[in-house]
Amino acid sequence: MSKVKAALVLEDGRVFRGTAFGAQGQTLGEAVFCTAMTGYQETLTDPSYDRQIVVATAPQIGNTGWNDEDDESGKIWVAGYAVRDPSTISSNWRATGTLQDQLDEQNVVGIAGIDTRAVVRHLRTRGSMKAGIFSGSALAGDEELLARVNGQQSMLGADLAEEVSTDGMYTIEPVGDHRFTVVAVDLGIKTNTPRMFAERGVRTHVVPSNTSLDDILALNPNGVFLSNGPGDPATQTGAIALTQGVLERGIPLFGICFGNQILGRALGRETYKMKFGHRGINIPVVEAGTGRISITAQNHGFALEGEKGEVFDTPFGKAEVSHICANDGTVEGVRLIDGRAFSVQYHPEAAAGPHDAAYLFDRFAGLMEGA
């Protein structure tokens, strides 16, 4: 472990002191915690974590190293990484390097050797908040570091989708026979999502977050997909209007995570910032209509307003709150009752995570088949 001093500073003045992990310097972001016991590579490369300092609740991180297969995008997106006990060796047959090497190579500032249990308890009590990690020459007096932390933009009102979205369209071809064509609006899409579509015979055109409805219609899709992503959904006026245009034309639509919030807002629902959000791979969700429970992977700090089984009117017909979190009652899904559009707050592609919700891709394929 490095002997270079480092500090994690929270906006309320709490300071946790440890040693540098990864690159040295300064990074700012919103401090959040992830309860996953595995899958740190997928977490770090998930675009939904843009501008967030992730605190790992698992005590040891890095023991399986880093490989060339499990990235969920082309880079590490987290603003910073806070761990308790970084592994000094990598022990996995697929590893091509260490986590420390990747953090260094991609200039991700981290901190190790802190009591992450204490950090998580603090964030769980006080809520996610602005934070910074400082090491080496970036260290200064506590008052100076706190001023830097509090000078950054809040996640509330942050428009980040375009920041993480693809610059141009690309296409993932189906495995085997082509059955359907889906346009996936990239609000921060993960690599495993087009792969899940491909396994079901779906050609996926991944398009930038600011793509127009006309450009989507020109691709003659059988369905439209709204991906996960970072930031405040209330800022996504373009994506919300695009979603309303898709609904007006009766094109089958499926959204996950950020896409669930976009569909909800397109249907007239409000969103709010959660106290500390849901980030992990063991979160139970109940489907209101069937009572079916899925253990899910989640990463979100905003949520839709609503209650289990609530039915509400929209310009596109009646809709309902279709899923809720078994832990706290948070809305985990909405759908049009006629079935042509639905979304969930969790990650059915689950990389890393359980596969309980993978059937939703089959449900979307069935919806397109019947359209």
Side-chain angles (χ1 to χ4, degrees), residues 211-233:
T211 299
S212 70
L213 179 60
D214 286 343
D215 286 342
I216 288 178
L217 295 177
L219 294 169
N220 195 30
N222 301 107
V224 172
F225 174 79
L226 303 174
S227 82
N228 59 289
D232 186 342

Side-chain angles (χ1 to χ4, degrees), residues 115-133:
D115 186 348
T116 50
R117 291 177 302 175
V119 180
V120 170
R121 286 173 67 91
H122 190 75
L123 296 176
R124 191 180 64 188
T125 302
R126 302 290 184 89
S128 299
M129 61 182 73
K130 297 176 183 177
I133 299 175

Side-chain angles (χ1 to χ4, degrees), residues 109-318:
V109 176
I111 185 171
I114 62 173
D115 186 348
T116 50
R117 291 177 302 175
V119 180
V120 170
R121 286 173 67 91
H122 190 75
L123 296 176
R124 191 180 64 188
T125 302
R126 302 290 184 89
S128 299
M129 61 182 73
K130 297 176 183 177
I133 299 175
F134 309 91
S135 59
S137 60
L139 282 169
D142 287 356
E143 289 188 5
E144 166 62 24
L145 298 181
L146 184 59
R148 295 181 202 171
V149 166
N150 284 316
Q152 67 180 291
Q153 179 191 14
S154 170
M155 190 60 71
L156 187 66
D159 181 358
L160 304 181
E162 192 168 348
E163 188 172 290
V164 302
S165 184
T166 181
D167 292 329
M169 186 183 81
Y170 62 92
T171 301
I172 303 298
E173 294 294 337
V175 175
D177 294 337
H178 170 247
R179 298 174 61 205
F180 309 109
T181 296
V182 165
V183 172
V185 181
D186 179 7
L187 304 163
I189 199 168
K190 295 169 67 177
T191 301
N192 203 40
T193 301
R195 185 183 300 131
M196 295 285 279
F197 279 130
E199 291 172 356
R200 290 159 174 80
V202 177
R203 175 178 294 120
T204 306
H205 298 301
V206 182
V207 300
S209 63
N210 58 1
T211 299
S212 70
L213 179 60
D214 286 343
D215 286 342
I216 288 178
L217 295 177
L219 294 169
N220 195 30
N222 301 107
V224 172
F225 174 79
L226 303 174
S227 82
N228 59 289
D232 186 342
T235 66
Q236 297 302 305
T237 54
I240 294 166
L242 173 66
T243 301
Q244 291 170 334
V246 171
L247 295 176
E248 287 172 353
R249 286 157 179 79
I251 301 170
L253 184 140
F254 175 30
I256 67 169
C257 196
F258 201 55
N260 176 64
Q261 297 159 18
I262 298 302
L263 175 59
R265 291 192 69 91
L267 296 175
R269 308 301 287 182
E270 295 296 320
T271 50
Y272 64 96
K273 192 174 189 302
M274 303 172 72
K275 184 175 181 179
F276 50 78
H278 295 162
R279 297 174 181 88
I281 59 176
N282 56 350
I283 299 169
V285 169
V286 181
E287 186 170 22
T290 64
R292 178 174 185 166
I293 297 174
S294 297
I295 304 302
T296 69
Q298 298 193 20
N299 172 15
H300 64 106
F302 291 83
L304 288 169
E305 292 185 346
E307 297 180 0
K308 178 182 178 181
E310 179 184 353
V311 176
F312 55 97
D313 293 321
T314 81
F316 315 101
K318 287 190 178 296

Side-chain angles (χ1 to χ4, degrees), residues 24-37:
Q24 296 179 32
Q26 170 181 305
T27 189
L28 301 172
E30 181 183 54
V32 301
F33 60 88
C34 177
T35 61
M37 295 294 289

